[in-house]
Amino acid sequence: MTLITEQGAVEDRFTRADTLEAALAADGPVLIPLWLVAEYAKVRPQAEFGLSVTGSTAIEDVAPHLAKVSLVAVEFAAFADGRGFSLAQKILREGYQGVLRASGPLIADEFADALACGFTEVELPETLANRQPVQQWLAAKDTMSDHYQSGYGRGPSILQKRHAARKGASA
Amino acid sequence: MYRYDEFDERFVRERVAQFRGQVERRLDGSLSEDEFKPLRLKNGLYLQLHAYMLRIAVPYGTMNSRQLRQLAHIAETYDKGYGHFTTRQNLQFNWPKLKDVPEILDLLADVEMHCIQTSGNCIRNVTSDQFAGVAKDEVEDPRPTAELLRQWSSLHPEFVWLPRKFKIAVTGAEHDRAAIKVHDIGLKLKRDDAGEIGYEVSVGGGLGRTPMIGKIIKDFLPKSELLAYLEAVMRVYNSEGRRDNKYKARVKILVHETGEDEFRAMVEEEYAKLDGPTINAPQEEVERIAAYFASPAYETLPETSATLAKAQANDPALARFVEQNGFAHKQPGYIALTIALKEIGAVPGDMSAAQMRAFADIAERYSFDEFRVTHSQNLVLPHVKQDDVPAVFAALKEAGLASANAGLITDIIACPGLDYCALATAKSIPIAQAIAKTFADEERQKKIGLLPIKISGCINACGHHHVGAIGILGLEKGGRENYQITVGGDASEHAALGERLGPGIDAADVPAAIEAIVETYLGEKQGGESFMETVRRTGPEPFKAGFTAFIESRTLETEAVG
Ligand code: SF4
């Protein structure tokens, strides 16, 4: 697996675990699926951990855990399955401020969209990272300097920029 | 007409560069074919039967002469010298080479055009009324809304990987010429009791293999809340729309399967959670866009032109053209003219480079440098001075663009069908040509009156056959092309799906079958009823009976011959 942020490739602090045994055996924080959370939290109430959910998960199932986790990984079944983008928006709306990871066979061409929807990192399978190395991701995120949609990404939208420019001009 | 500012300009340029990079990354193996495919589709590039096809967006069908001249140039340089207008108010080139596409996109960007989202599972080119800003029955010009939506939907970070394609249409008039009820979202500008302007929002209309009429999910949406409300609809669809079966992935299926009320509740719940002000367009920005669509500098003229009346009296061909192709203009002394790209025997919607140039000159000189593309694969000169109509008619005639058959039985919509399309099960264009030839006589056409025929070459229904007064669907049956005929389809505010008349028939029998249907109509017709009015009154029964009689006579004939 390769983990990419806006700055480039980074180490993954988290270890994925699909069973309680594996989760308890791991060094450092674990990344566990929704159904394991209750069990794990009972055994390790103080431990830092991450939550992994599929893009089709209802926000009602995710929301109760958001205050306790420092990572949410949204699993993309396929690069063309956009559900994860909407889930990211819903997670942010709950006030979540931790690491938000898009995980799965995404392509570099989606990096800018993922970031604009609130993801902070992307976790790729090795085969994909080999074909589309980090440089392509960093280049792809900067191909478009602006976006029209207000409420996405960090900077103002084109509509907001125009508005600001007019205000500035008339002030 | 809207003009790009520096942001729009840079956006489109960067999008071209982005696509150029994607082509390169496909060629060096960074992108697999599966990954590249949706990327090229989102840039309007299809792989057809014989070659690539490039679909160019004509946002809400509005263009100027400079743009059309550029298209003529592209047609000659990179294609076979013509372009094809589609039922989505777009233009397609059927023969570009992949390596030339980035260059073509550069040329388009030079005239403020692009191919963004003319295909793929995303929000497609927004369509509208071809008589926007012209029609007398307009509450408000729909084009500013359509332009705002063009911008908002372009490379939307959250909604570029939808379950399926998504089409939005906007109308501002009482009479719906934008077919909003057969779109994924249909917006109708209206006034509430207090006189405020807003939208009636329909969701879940569509044609294809499961045709459905859209459901009104919001009676009145205040105008300023448009983007946030659409975001709610899109988010519900993106999250809940089916992804397990592409034939069930359109929003119409979601609305149908969850139920209209439940779907409405889901949208309302999502909408309640949104922070509208952070999403909606600032009022000043809406006004900035609207200002581009202010009326052109009309002259103050009498309601009707004596010059035109005199010319019509002397020239029956001109009179017929004005009567058939003219559309009443809100401005006294002006008229809108439909240019039917439907010469008898021609390919519906095709236009040669020479015709494009000639037409660009006409639009520039006589229609404030503006024209429209209609979803009937025709063009419109929106603002012609009535005094100028004789000169315009003469110029159109010279370019082979003066067919006086707008809305008549020979003004046929046909999808590309088996001549171009990889999905086709039957021919579509040759059927249109055969019917047009059968009814070529102008007097006969006039007697029959308004009768839009629509033809699709497969169940995907790009020719909108479900909403044709007569609809023709080409299928394949036992290795033969087989055509199913429907009547009573309607895409207007009386939206209805056509009903099948009986079993499918051979291609060679289609023109005679249409004649039989027309005979039924002329027999049933009361007073000045149009075909559609008669069908609405009688229902499909008499037409079914006439059709059955036709099939029987056909069988007898073949048996006699055999
Ligand atoms: S209706 Fe079928 S044949 Fe016609 S253009 Fe669409 S997909 Fe092709």
Side-chain angles (χ1 to χ4, degrees):
Chain A
M1 293 290 193
T2 295
L3 198 58
I4 302 175
T5 70
E6 248 176 306
Q7 278 71 46
V10 294
E11 282 301 313
D12 192 355
R13 287 197 304 123
F14 289 77
T15 309
R16 279 186 184 267
D18 281 342
T19 62
L20 187 60
E21 294 69 43
L24 296 175
D27 290 332
V30 290
L31 176 57
I32 54 175
L34 200 54
W35 54 267
L36 200 53
V37 169
E39 268 182 278
Y40 181 76
K42 213 186 302 164
V43 186
R44 294 271 168 84
Q46 301 304 324
E48 179 194 5
F49 70 97
L51 171 64
S52 150
V53 293
T54 62
S56 59
T57 312
I59 185 64
E60 290 72 25
D61 297 333
V62 184
H65 307 292
L66 291 175
K68 295 171 288 188
V69 299
S70 55
L71 163 71
V72 178
V74 176
E75 313 289 339
F76 281 68
F79 77 96
D81 184 337
R83 284 178 290 192
F85 293 122
S86 285
L87 184 55
Q89 285 284 296
K90 293 177 194 171
I91 290 172
L92 291 189
R93 191 163 65 198
E94 296 294 325
Y96 179 71
Q97 291 187 340
V99 177
L100 191 54
R101 173 186 297 189
S103 183
L106 279 81
I107 55 177
D109 310 79
E110 293 175 297
F111 197 22
D113 295 334
L115 294 171
C117 286
F119 287 108
T120 51
E121 59 186 33
V122 175
E123 180 191 22
L124 293 175
E126 235 27 65
T127 46
L128 230 151
N130 289 339
R131 258 195 301 121
Q132 299 178 16
V134 181
Q135 299 81 335
Q136 287 196 15
W137 286 75
L138 297 182
K141 91 176 156 54
D142 292 329
T143 53
M144 304 297 297
S145 19
D146 276 306
H147 57 280
Y148 285 105
Q149 303 77 15
S150 305
Y152 292 84
R154 250 168 274 139
S157 71
I158 291 175
L159 303 194
Q160 290 166 326
K161 284 187 182 179
R162 284 176 182 148
H163 186 50
R166 294 189 129 208
K167 265 196 169 156
S170 62
Chain B
M1 224 179 122
Y2 186 73
R3 299 303 309 260
Y4 284 6
D5 68 356
E6 74 223 77
F7 293 107
D8 301 309
E9 165 80 18
R10 184 166 66 186
F11 188 88
V12 168
R13 295 280 176 197
E14 288 179 347
R15 179 71 184 93
V16 175
Q18 184 183 54
F19 184 67
R20 189 171 263 128
Q22 288 169 340
V23 172
E24 280 161 17
R25 283 168 54 241
R26 170 67 198 119
L27 294 175
D28 73 18
S30 300
L31 285 164
S32 71
E33 188 53 38
D34 283 351
E35 289 160 354
F36 180 62
K37 186 178 169 192
L39 299 178
R40 72 164 157 73
L41 286 176
K42 284 180 213 297
N43 216 350
L45 191 62
Y46 276 78
L47 198 51
Q48 295 220 96
L49 218 45
H50 313 289
Y52 278 106
M53 176 270 276
L54 185 65
R55 185 182 290 160
I56 294 158
V58 182
Y60 38 95
T62 301
M63 264 205 265
N64 62 27
S65 60
R66 183 164 157 253
Q67 294 174 323
L68 190 59
R69 288 191 190 107
Q70 187 80 319
L71 294 175
H73 170 66
I74 293 169
E76 275 172 349
T77 317
Y78 300 100
D79 205 286
K80 294 187 174 176
Y82 61 91
H84 177 78
F85 288 100
T86 77
T87 52
R88 294 266 315 140
Q89 299 181 313
N90 289 320
L91 179 105
Q92 292 179 182
F93 285 121
N94 282 317
W95 307 98
K97 298 200 178 55
L98 177 59
K99 70 167 180 42
D100 292 335
V101 170
E103 241 164 88
I104 298 175
L105 294 177
D106 277 334
L107 290 171
L108 290 173
D110 288 346
V111 294
E112 305 182 9
M113 293 186 86
H114 58 71
C115 296
I116 297 170
Q117 289 163 216
T118 52
S119 178
N121 295 336
C122 48
I123 302 173
R124 300 286 188 87
N125 184 32
V126 177
T127 53
S128 184
D129 184 352
Q130 70 267 26
F131 294 119
V134 170
K136 288 179 176 167
D137 64 342
E138 202 163 77
V139 169
E140 188 180 286
D141 192 333
R143 290 172 299 167
T145 296
E147 172 59 26
L148 178 64
L149 293 182
R150 180 191 74 82
Q151 300 187 16
W152 166 79
S153 62
S154 293
L155 270 53
H156 194 296
E158 188 178 343
F159 306 130
V160 271
W161 302 97
L162 298 172
R164 200 77 175 83
K165 59 186 166 188
F166 202 95
K167 300 175 181 177
I168 304 178
V170 197
T171 182
E174 261 321 302
H175 179 58
D176 177 11
R177 286 168 291 260
I180 61 166
K181 285 295 171 68
V182 291
H183 280 75
D184 295 279
I185 289 182
L187 297 172
K188 179 182 166 185
L189 282 148
K190 66 189 271 197
R191 269 181 212 284
D192 68 1
D193 296 337
E196 291 298 314
I197 288 191
Y199 303 97
E200 175 192 279
V201 184
S202 314
V203 180
L207 299 173
R209 61 186 69 211
T210 323
M212 286 187 192
I213 304 293
K215 314 284 181 296
I216 297 173
I217 65 155
K218 188 96 182 164
D219 237 359
F220 187 84
L221 176 73
K223 207 177 152 198
S224 58
E225 297 179 33
L226 180 65
L227 296 187
Y229 192 79
L230 292 193
E231 186 172 307
V233 175
M234 296 310 300
R235 186 165 296 136
V236 167
Y237 171 55
N238 193 38
S239 297
E240 308 297 333
R242 285 180 62 171
R243 292 176 188 261
D244 58 329
N245 178 344
K246 82 172 203 182
Y247 300 122
K248 297 195 188 294
R250 295 283 292 270
V251 73
K252 63 188 172 189
I253 304 288
L254 179 65
V255 174
H256 182 72
E257 289 183 351
T258 39
E260 189 183 330
D261 292 335
E262 175 63 20
F263 180 82
R264 183 181 295 113
M266 284 157 76
V267 171
E268 287 297 328
E269 190 191 334
E270 175 60 33
Y271 187 56
K273 289 183 188 159
L274 292 182
D275 180 14
T278 64
I279 301 161
N280 287 315
Q283 178 59 27
E284 291 87 339
E285 179 57 12
V286 173
E287 283 164 13
R288 183 194 75 90
I289 291 175
Y292 283 100
F293 299 96
S295 293
Y298 298 122
E299 289 172 36
T300 308
L301 296 168
E303 187 63 48
T304 53
S305 147
T307 318
L308 177 57
K310 210 167 116 209
Q312 278 183 270
N314 291 330
D315 181 353
L318 172 67
R320 201 159 42 234
F321 178 78
V322 172
E323 187 192 339
Q324 202 52 53
N325 294 27
F327 179 86
H329 203 291
K330 64 175 188 198
Q331 180 71 18
Y334 285 79
I335 187 170
L337 295 173
T338 296
I339 312 312
L341 297 175
K342 308 288 170 62
E343 285 280 309
I344 304 294
V347 175
D350 268 12
M351 196 177 200
S352 71
Q355 286 177 323
M356 290 183 197
R357 291 211 175 85
F359 189 71
D361 290 347
I362 295 170
E364 184 173 29
R365 179 146 177 220
Y366 296 109
S367 185
F368 293 95
D369 196 21
E370 191 194 322
F371 69 96
R372 313 278 172 78
V373 184
T374 84
H375 71 83
S376 317
Q377 304 177 289
N378 291 330
L379 304 179
V380 164
L381 289 168
H383 314 289
V384 179
K385 227 196 302 181
Q386 291 178 17
D387 292 342
D388 289 338
V389 172
V392 171
F393 181 62
L396 288 171
K397 245 192 340 204
E398 204 173 304
L401 291 169
S403 286
N405 60 348
L408 296 179
I409 191 165
T410 56
D411 182 5
I412 300 168
I413 294 184
C415 80
L418 212 47
D419 291 282
Y420 295 100
C421 178
L423 303 171
T425 41
K427 288 191 288 287
S428 167
I429 292 168
I431 301 293
Q433 291 167 324
I435 297 171
K437 280 192 192 124
T438 304
F439 290 94
D441 182 69
E442 288 190 348
E443 280 313 308
R444 191 173 179 202
Q445 289 186 47
K446 208 175 148 192
K447 191 166 148 227
I448 299 166
L450 294 182
L451 207 176
I453 297 184
K454 303 185 192 235
I455 310 177
S456 303
C458 84
I459 199 161
N460 287 320
C462 304
H464 302 173
H465 64 275
H466 299 295
V467 288
I470 296 179
I472 303 177
L473 165 62
L475 297 169
E476 192 244 83
K477 209 173 137 193
R480 271 173 93 86
E481 289 165 50
N482 185 270
Y483 293 85
Q484 288 182 357
I485 315 238
T486 52
V487 300
D490 189 337
S492 77
E493 66 278 16
H494 306 291
L497 301 171
E499 280 216 41
R500 246 179 86 182
L501 292 183
I505 55 176
D506 281 351
D509 288 337
V510 173
I514 304 301
E515 286 189 297
I517 295 168
V518 167
E519 282 317 310
T520 305
Y521 156 59
L522 294 175
E524 295 285 334
K525 169 179 177 175
Q526 289 181 0
E529 270 179 354
S530 69
F531 181 89
M532 272 314 294
E533 284 162 347
T534 300
V535 178
R536 242 177 262 142
R537 178 175 52 78
T538 65
E541 296 318 322
F543 293 88
K544 283 185 183 163
F547 186 76
T548 310
F550 165 76
I551 302 248
E552 278 163 8
S553 70
R554 259 309 199 244
T555 322
L556 285 179
E557 264 174 52
T558 12
E559 276 168 11
V561 175

